[in-house]
Amino acid sequence: MTSSNAGKANIGVVGLAVMGSNLARNLASREGNTVAVYNRSVERTQLLTSEHPEAGFIASETIDDFVASLAKPRTAIIMVQAGKGTDAVIAQLAERFEPGDIIVDGGNALFTDTIRREAEVRAKGINFVGAGISGGEEGALKGPSIMPGGSEEAYKTLGPILSSIAAVAEGEPCVTHVGTDGAGHFVKMIHNGIEYADMQLIAEAYDILRQAGAYSPAEIAAIFGEWNKGTLESFLIEITAEVLKQVDAKTGKPLVDVILDQAGSKGTGVWTVQTALNLGTPVSGIAEAVFARSLSSQASQRAAVDGLPADATAWTIEDKVAFVEDVRRALYASKLVAYAQGFDAIRAGAKEYGWNINLGAVSKIWRGGCIIRAQFLNRITEAYEADPGLVLLLSAPYFADAIAQAQEAWRRVVIAATQAGIPAPAFGSSLSYYDALRAERLPAALVQGQRDFFGAHTYKRVDKPGIFHTLWSGDRSEIETEPSSH
Ligand code: 6PG
């Protein structure tokens, strides 16, 4: 560190709510880091420094003092609410930073905002990095999974700092330079979309075990505890068991039974589906998870259909052990589809936005620290390391085999849930996605005929090149609208 940098911080954090404070504490706990901190309301800064004197923070009450307390190249992580607050802090820093300095947005910003911001800030010679940080408040403090975008130049300085605080999985820090400009926030968005699907699938498995199997929340917690010892081992399965064990102090009932069944959403799942639709890549499991949250909040519609006949057939279970195993297999197969769709969306985004994203590296950093951390992410890593050009995760030998083994149970569960009137949209859409992928012929041929009939939108043929249209309102002969280039 040059003499002018002596006594200054090698990293700064702006925004000291819980996530920002925990990230600052994590940074300060690592050898070699001196951390500057600043918050618009000074009380938060004073609270953090008074509660954690051991951190040795360089605290500032003004943005000018904060900037002055940073060693060059100045590097600051913004941890404020995505949106206008982020833009305001970026502007404050960009006014005071010099070429070569680094501004990091550690919030859940929309990747297209990050692409815009990176270009605006780069025009001043300043580096802008959108970094997805996953793992919630505990992850921020103990070791998150970190998905930075931005330039290679910025990563030379930022990489070692982020590696010092990231979670560690299989001996490797859960951080990698995902790609340029908005790539980091894009991948974090997909992470959240997969998170939505994973949570929905777990919730559907719970509902089937509860409604069809008549298991209590505590019994289902034990079942999830067993599942967490096998291929479903993951943070979400682990915490689900904890939530289901929880008893409400006020009523003595299982907490899950006193929580209102209307799910919230901060929006990252919606972004994932909107983006995937624009990219033309199906993320049916993620979409069904988003729709399920929306439907759950349609209180008046749900009340309006109250009492409508279900005409459901009770789910007859001869062997409860086999029933539970069927649900486990259906959950695992549906989860594989959701992750395969998520990774496919990353591939499509990288192609669209010109990012060189290493899917194996992404699966590696998701093995620890993040909300979707799971043992089977090692299998995904192995699949992409064995074949970096894999066009679809499900075609990798391990996953093709896992799906094959689960298929009969998967079908039994989707059929029985449907007959029993138990909603399982993510299970069902994942199975249909798989069946559509496998299909020799899809009814899309009929859709093309319909489109040509009412809109003369033309169609291709299976037996010869070219673009064709049938004269539906005339003699119904077929004409070639665009001679084939062959
Ligand atoms: C993470 C989480 C986090 C997410 C919140 C709220 O990776 O730490 O994904 O970023 O924003 O959990 O998510 P929803 O309100 O959208 O469910």
Side-chain angles (χ1 to χ4, degrees):
M1 189 176 280
T2 59
S3 57
S4 62
N5 283 340
K8 297 196 174 186
N10 67 311
I11 183 72
V13 177
V14 180
L16 301 176
V18 179
M19 282 291 286
S21 293
N22 282 358
L23 197 73
R25 289 170 55 198
N26 186 348
L27 284 161
S29 71
R30 310 296 175 158
E31 188 68 33
N33 285 337
T34 301
V35 183
V37 291
Y38 167 75
N39 193 78
R40 196 175 51 177
S41 60
V42 69
E43 295 75 16
R44 277 195 192 277
T45 313
Q46 289 164 347
L47 180 66
L48 175 63
T49 51
S50 61
E51 283 185 344
H52 298 285
E54 79 289 348
F57 291 123
I58 302 177
S60 299
E61 297 192 359
T62 69
I63 192 76
D64 289 314
D65 288 350
F66 170 75
V67 171
S69 70
L70 293 171
K72 293 181 183 177
R74 299 184 189 84
T75 308
I77 303 179
I78 301 171
M79 292 299 286
V80 300
Q81 198 69 27
K84 293 205 179 323
T86 300
D87 280 314
V89 177
I90 293 169
Q92 284 182 304
L93 293 176
E95 277 161 31
R96 296 164 174 82
F97 272 23
E98 295 167 355
D101 290 348
I102 304 163
I103 299 174
V104 183
D105 173 11
N108 271 339
L110 181 58
F111 74 99
T112 46
D113 287 341
T114 302
I115 291 173
R116 167 179 56 80
R117 289 166 175 155
E118 197 271 344
E120 286 167 0
V121 172
R122 179 161 24 95
K124 300 170 183 264
I126 298 167
N127 293 290
F128 185 81
V129 175
I133 299 177
S134 178
E137 294 163 6
E138 187 172 327
L141 180 62
K142 296 179 179 167
S145 168
I146 311 174
M147 296 148 256
S151 67
E152 286 287 350
E153 182 207 348
Y155 197 70
K156 286 195 189 95
T157 300
L158 194 56
I161 296 171
L162 298 182
S163 297
S164 74
I165 61 166
V168 176
E170 312 295 326
E172 296 179 279
C174 295
V175 57
T176 189
H177 181 216
V178 173
T180 52
D181 57 58
H185 274 149
F186 181 93
V187 163
K188 175 57 168 70
M189 174 190 74
I190 299 293
H191 163 279
N192 279 38
I194 292 173
E195 173 189 303
Y196 275 49
D198 215 335
M199 291 164 70
Q200 176 65 23
L201 289 166
I202 289 171
E204 290 178 16
Y206 153 79
D207 202 25
I208 288 168
L209 293 170
R210 187 83 190 267
Q211 289 203 54
Y215 286 102
S216 70
E219 288 168 329
I220 299 170
I223 291 170
F224 277 115
E226 281 307 306
W227 290 356
N228 201 40
K229 297 172 185 167
T231 53
L232 277 170
E233 180 196 343
S234 62
F235 172 73
L236 284 172
I237 290 279
E238 180 189 338
I239 66 160
T240 298
E242 294 309 311
V243 171
L244 291 174
K245 278 180 205 161
Q246 187 67 15
V247 173
D248 174 45
K250 184 166 179 291
T251 62
K253 292 180 181 173
L255 179 64
V256 70
D257 287 346
V258 297
I259 294 175
L260 182 64
D261 62 340
Q262 296 180 15
S265 156
K266 288 203 179 75
T268 48
V270 171
W271 292 347
T272 305
V273 179
Q274 288 170 331
T275 302
L277 286 170
N278 292 332
L279 292 170
T281 178
V283 289
S284 41
I286 299 170
E288 288 297 350
V290 173
F291 295 149
R293 294 196 187 190
S294 306
L295 185 153
S296 73
S297 301
Q298 304 289 345
S300 55
Q301 288 179 348
R302 292 174 62 188
V305 296
D306 209 8
L308 276 192
D311 292 340
T313 311
W315 189 324
T316 46
I317 299 168
E318 280 101 35
D319 175 344
K320 288 198 93 172
V321 172
F323 162 72
V324 170
E325 176 57 11
D326 271 3
V327 176
R328 186 192 67 79
R329 287 169 180 251
L331 174 56
Y332 190 59
S334 302
K335 178 174 174 153
L336 295 185
V337 167
Y339 279 68
Q341 291 176 340
F343 277 93
D344 200 30
I346 295 175
R347 258 167 34 94
K351 185 165 176 245
E352 175 72 15
Y353 292 96
W355 298 319
N356 178 22
I357 298 180
N358 178 326
L359 295 178
V362 170
S363 58
K364 266 188 177 179
I365 66 170
W366 283 353
R367 292 177 300 183
C370 63
I371 301 296
I372 65 170
R373 60 185 182 269
Q375 181 250 25
F376 97 123
L377 275 156
N378 285 302
R379 303 293 81 75
I380 294 179
T381 300
E382 288 155 8
Y384 281 117
E385 285 179 338
D387 179 2
L390 202 56
V391 291
L392 184 77
L393 198 52
L394 296 183
S395 60
Y398 172 85
F399 294 105
D401 182 49
I403 291 265
Q405 284 181 32
Q407 205 168 147
E408 278 181 34
W410 198 8
R411 294 186 188 286
R412 278 195 296 270
V413 167
V414 170
I415 289 165
T418 305
Q419 280 174 335
I422 302 171
F427 272 31
S429 70
S430 303
L431 179 54
S432 291
Y433 171 83
Y434 175 69
D435 283 337
L437 276 180
R438 283 183 322 100
E440 192 67 29
R441 289 273 293 159
L442 285 169
L446 176 58
V447 169
Q448 285 294 82
Q450 293 162 335
R451 293 179 67 244
D452 191 54
F453 188 103
F454 63 68
H457 293 302
T458 72
Y459 53 84
K460 294 180 181 175
R461 294 176 59 95
V462 294
D463 52 5
K464 59 179 178 178
I467 305 293
F468 303 91
H469 167 59
T470 292
L471 302 173
W472 298 102
S473 53
D475 63 6
R476 302 217 163 176
S477 60
E478 180 181 82
I479 58 171
E480 186 166 1
T481 57
E482 286 171 35
S484 65
S485 52
H486 300 273

